[in-house]
Amino acid sequence: MLIGLQGSGKTTTAGKLALFLRKKARKPLLVPSDVYRPAAIEQLVKLGNQIMIDTFTMPEINDPLAICREAKAYAMKHGCDTLIVDTAGRLHINDEMIEELINQKKLLTPRETMLVLDAMTGQDAVNIASTFNEKVGVDGIILTKLDGDTRGGAAISIKAVTGKPIKFIGVGEKLDAIEPFHPERMASRILGMGDIVSLVEKAQEVFDEKQARALEKKIRKEEFTLEDFRDQIKQMKKLGSIESIISMFPGLSKFRGAIDFSQAEQDIKKTEAIINSMTQKERLFPTIIDGSRRLRISRGSGTNVQDVNELLKRYMEMKKMIKKFTKGGIKGFPKQLFMR
Amino acid sequence: MNLFEKIREGLTKTRDQLLTRIEWAVKGRPISEEAFDAIEEAIILSDAGLETTEYLIRELKEKWKRGQIKTSDDIERSIMDEVEKILLPVEKEVDTNTHKPFVILTIGVNGVGKTTTIAKLAHFFKKAQKKVLLGACDTFRAAAIEQLEVWAKRVNADIIKHSQGSDPAAVAFDAVKAARARDINILILDTAGRLHTKSNLMEEMKKIKRVIGKEIDGAPHETLLVVDATNGQNAIVQAKTFHDALHINGIIATKLDGTAKGGFILPIAHTLKIPIRFLGIGEKIDDLVPFQAHAFSRALFHSKD
Ligand SMILES: Nc1nc2c(ncn2[C@@H]2O[C@H](COP(=O)(O)OP(=O)(O)OP(=O)(O)O)[C@@H](O)[C@H]2O)c(=O)[nH]1
Ligand SMILES: Nc1nc2c(ncn2[C@@H]2O[C@H](COP(=O)(O)OP(=O)(O)OP(=O)(O)O)[C@@H](O)[C@H]2O)c(=O)[nH]1
Ligand SMILES: [Mg+2]
Ligand SMILES: [Mg+2]
């Protein structure tokens, strides 16, 4: 079942998936359930005809549920092993229309509910994806229109926030313009180049540009707080696990297995937990964190006082260190954050 | 109901975030340089882009130094006024009376809402007693012609079409001829979605423009770019690129009923200075509002009103 905002590419993607699956020796049935948009059903029928794949239609019926129900029966009878259900585009905030999707999902019990998302989507992408996920439930994401100039940076944050994998990418208007998602290709897309120096630089572009700018200002004024520190960790995590970042780079993949990345991951998690256990005041003015506060924080974060001490020490070191970077902006900053 | 209510609704989050940040920045203390940093951050987060934001902050600071800004209310009001000032020059209705037929060529990337917007426009012009003709120049996308046909029927306008796969320039040519012969006031041409990065598709569009221009001097009279608000900053890039290649004279931003930030309109107005004709606020035929600088600046920045 394909769901998403208006115009994101659902219908086209339905056709693409059908072709893709047939190449894998499956027998898909296309099911258009967009009874709203003018000629939406015809669009899918035409796409089906182009690739000679059966499209289920019920002329004169404008109830998506009825269409889905009958399509299931039809598939059973005709030996189709996969239903690809196209749905009408809708806003994630339109509760009435979302309700319809929920009902459709109940009836279909689809193996995969895919959110079809336009790669050009701006700052709102994460909000859109998580709202669809919360309200309807999403198993995976298909990112379309990646043949344009977008680097798909949003994809990474979506993965981080919703935890849902990107399964396919659309790279053109033709029906064969679909690819299973390969993180390394996306990485080279987002990062442009394959060397570690540019990773650090480009990572900052994946990071929220504004936040980075705001942070830079704070650093200039030496106002870098533990709250900012935590934000940085969050941003860093958006890039994926350290191992996955490293493995994005052909030249570095040989290090896989050679270094214990899980330790580093653990450290990051711990750090975040500790900062989360602090009060806002403590995060803003870490100097007030005395012995009893340290004890409370360590208890709250399930760590020990040693860990809290370690973190505070690192934070003070970092504060010193980043001052050195201030002149040249914050280049190189994220790297330093985790390489002790 | 004021049609801008729908836009205000979609912009609620953006607006609240902005206002909270601004209030937080100046709350309980005299306004200082630092406050402006926080305000700058808040405006950037509304998708207004760096250049425009910096301009706004400069203007605000000037006012502050002249003693015209003292409270957070002053700041909000000043931002609104400055934004309105930026937007006012692009609040320009399209005057279709200058030519007959007046030819509108609609362009934009895939799925932004071109075809739907054309239907809305046709409806809008028909209400003003104009004779409208539609041209189905999207000969590429499956059922694009049928989609426009359904709309044409609904708004009771004639349509010129060829079959799928035919030359879009040929459709444009026929449509222009028909418009002349049928004493049409306004001809609106639908075209296939194209990413701004694809030079072959830009060339195709140039050819369509040439063909139209040969038939009617000065046509198309309006090269209308449709952008999707959901695209945020990318909409600005789209506008720039299309403008460079094809010289845009009007813009319609769609899907403002969604939760997109809306600030992207500012740089389009501020740096490109292309008139923003209408805003799309839904999928229905009436979901189109003429752009109003005053109302939009309020929708972005004013919680009350
Ligand atoms: N360049 C490019 N265009 C695409 C891609 N996927 C879809 N499109 C185009 O995007 C536009 C919208 O696609 P549709 O499949 O109609 O989108 P939809 O989500 O079904 O739209 P609604 O049903 O109206 O919500 C069409 O012009 C498609 O050709 C892609 O990967 N690349
Ligand atoms: N919510 C909302 N949806 C809109 C608006 N304008 C258009 N749409 C929807 O967006 C989807 C795409 O609209 P179209 O008019 O087919 O877009 P297009 O630009 O012609 O698409 P292509 O020709 O495939 O490039 C449809 O589902 C429309 O109903 C709007 O202002 N708000
Ligand atoms: Mg569709
Ligand atoms: Mg169209």
Side-chain angles (χ1 to χ4, degrees), chain B residues 94-153:
Chain B
V94 54
D95 182 7
T96 57
N97 293 322
T98 52
H99 300 83
K100 192 176 175 196
F102 186 89
V103 183
I104 300 175
L105 179 67
T106 321
I107 61 178
V109 303
N110 307 79
V112 290
K114 294 175 293 301
T115 309
T116 312
T117 302
I118 287 169
K120 294 175 183 175
L121 281 174
H123 181 64
F124 179 87
F125 291 132
K126 288 211 68 158
K127 278 198 297 194
Q129 312 304 323
K130 307 279 184 194
K131 269 186 87 176
V132 179
L133 180 69
L134 305 180
C137 300
D138 179 355
T139 57
F140 178 80
R141 212 208 65 211
I145 300 170
E146 287 80 353
Q147 185 187 0
L148 191 67
E149 261 184 309
V150 172
W151 281 119
K153 213 174 270 164

Side-chain angles (χ1 to χ4, degrees), chain A residues 156 183-185 187-188 191 193-200 203 236-265 268 334-336 338-339:
Chain A
I156 301 224
E184 67 276 10
R185 276 188 216 158
S188 59
L191 304 169
M193 299 164 71
D195 64 283
I196 193 74
V197 181
S198 69
L199 165 65
V200 175
M236 190 74 192
K237 278 170 74 181
K238 280 189 195 166
L239 278 170
S241 71
I242 296 184
E243 183 160 24
S244 73
I245 297 169
I246 298 288
S247 61
M248 281 171 183
F249 296 91
L252 290 174
S253 49
K254 57 174 178 280
F255 290 119
R256 254 179 129 165
I259 303 171
D260 187 8
F261 289 106
S262 63
Q263 185 53 46
E265 301 277 6
I268 294 174
K335 185 170 66 177
Q336 299 291 341
F338 300 108
M339 310 273 163

Side-chain angles (χ1 to χ4, degrees), chain A residues 161-207:
Chain A
V161 172
T162 62
K164 302 301 173 187
I166 296 156
K167 299 222 161 155
F168 289 94
I169 57 174
V171 290
E173 296 182 75
K174 303 230 173 73
L175 291 184
D176 56 2
I178 189 166
E179 295 170 10
F181 175 66
H182 294 298
E184 67 276 10
R185 276 188 216 158
M186 180 64 84
S188 59
R189 201 190 165 82
I190 294 169
L191 304 169
M193 299 164 71
D195 64 283
I196 193 74
V197 181
S198 69
L199 165 65
V200 175
E201 278 171 7
K202 297 282 178 172
Q204 287 174 7
E205 295 177 25
V206 177
F207 287 7

Side-chain angles (χ1 to χ4, degrees), chain A residues 11 32 34-45 86, chain B residues 143 147:
Chain A
T11 308
D34 178 356
V35 296
Y36 305 101
R37 169 172 160 179
I41 294 181
E42 238 160 314
Q43 185 185 356
L44 195 60
V45 169
D86 180 27
Chain B
Q147 185 187 0

Side-chain angles (χ1 to χ4, degrees), chain B:
Chain B
M1 185 183 76
N2 174 5
L3 284 172
F4 265 83
E5 275 306 306
K6 217 163 166 182
I7 298 175
R8 285 181 53 83
E9 237 174 84
L11 290 175
T12 302
K13 224 168 130 188
T14 311
R15 191 175 51 240
D16 285 354
Q17 202 179 9
L18 253 162
L19 295 180
T20 318
R21 277 165 181 269
I22 291 171
E23 249 147 49
W24 182 81
V26 294
K27 201 171 153 195
R29 66 199 122 174
I31 295 168
S32 63
E33 289 276 343
E34 273 76 44
F36 286 100
D37 287 350
I39 296 167
E40 182 172 1
E41 218 179 301
I43 300 178
I44 286 181
L45 283 172
S46 75
D47 251 352
L50 275 185
E51 209 178 313
T52 306
T53 304
E54 274 167 4
Y55 166 82
L56 280 172
I57 293 296
R58 264 201 312 279
E59 295 295 303
L60 279 183
K61 277 193 183 165
E62 278 303 306
K63 282 192 179 171
W64 171 59
K65 282 178 188 153
R66 286 198 300 263
Q68 291 160 334
I69 290 181
K70 291 193 181 75
T71 64
S72 67
D73 277 353
D74 293 344
I75 289 188
E76 276 169 37
R77 198 174 22 76
S78 299
I79 295 178
M80 264 184 325
D81 291 347
E82 288 302 327
V83 166
E84 189 176 337
K85 246 200 261 166
I86 290 177
L87 295 179
L88 216 46
V90 299
E91 176 188 312
K92 250 192 231 148
E93 247 178 84
V94 54
D95 182 7
T96 57
N97 293 322
T98 52
H99 300 83
K100 192 176 175 196
F102 186 89
V103 183
I104 300 175
L105 179 67
T106 321
I107 61 178
V109 303
N110 307 79
V112 290
K114 294 175 293 301
T115 309
T116 312
T117 302
I118 287 169
K120 294 175 183 175
L121 281 174
H123 181 64
F124 179 87
F125 291 132
K126 288 211 68 158
K127 278 198 297 194
Q129 312 304 323
K130 307 279 184 194
K131 269 186 87 176
V132 179
L133 180 69
L134 305 180
C137 300
D138 179 355
T139 57
F140 178 80
R141 212 208 65 211
I145 300 170
E146 287 80 353
Q147 185 187 0
L148 191 67
E149 261 184 309
V150 172
W151 281 119
K153 213 174 270 164
R154 281 193 200 165
V155 301
N156 200 15
D158 282 346
I159 180 172
I160 301 296
K161 56 165 187 176
H162 289 187
S163 55
Q164 198 186 344
S166 56
D167 179 6
V171 186
F173 179 83
D174 278 1
V176 170
K177 285 222 136 136
R180 264 223 202 101
R182 299 181 196 181
D183 196 33
I184 292 293
N185 294 109
I186 302 165
L187 167 66
I188 315 176
L189 301 172
D190 188 18
T191 65
R194 65 202 67 223
L195 294 180
H196 50 295
T197 48
K198 303 211 164 154
S199 54
N200 58 329
L201 295 179
M202 284 295 185
E203 288 308 314
E204 180 189 274
M205 191 54 84
K206 284 181 192 161
K207 182 178 157 198
I208 296 175
K209 277 192 94 161
R210 273 199 305 274
V211 167
I212 302 169
K214 255 187 207 155
E215 269 316 288
I216 300 179
D217 231 18
H221 308 101
E222 175 94 346
T223 303
L224 186 65
L225 178 70
V226 180
V227 294
D228 178 340
T230 325
N231 286 174
Q233 303 268 333
N234 195 262
I236 304 164
V237 181
Q238 290 165 24
K240 269 196 188 115
T241 320
F242 274 113
H243 189 49
D244 286 347
L246 294 159
H247 190 77
I248 308 300
N249 25 31
I251 289 184
I252 294 182
T254 62
K255 307 189 193 175
L256 275 149
D257 47 325
T259 53
K261 308 243 174 193
F264 74 98
I265 296 269
L266 270 57
I268 287 182
H270 188 221
T271 53
L272 297 177
K273 301 187 165 54
I274 304 168
I276 295 161
R277 306 296 194 191
F278 291 91
L279 302 177
I281 52 168
E283 300 183 81
K284 304 225 173 65
I285 197 77
D286 278 317
D287 290 336
L288 188 74
V289 286
F291 179 72
Q292 293 165 26
H294 181 80
F296 192 80
S297 60
R298 261 70 193 159
L300 256 186
F301 291 105
H302 199 27
S303 51
K304 301 120 208 169
D305 211 353

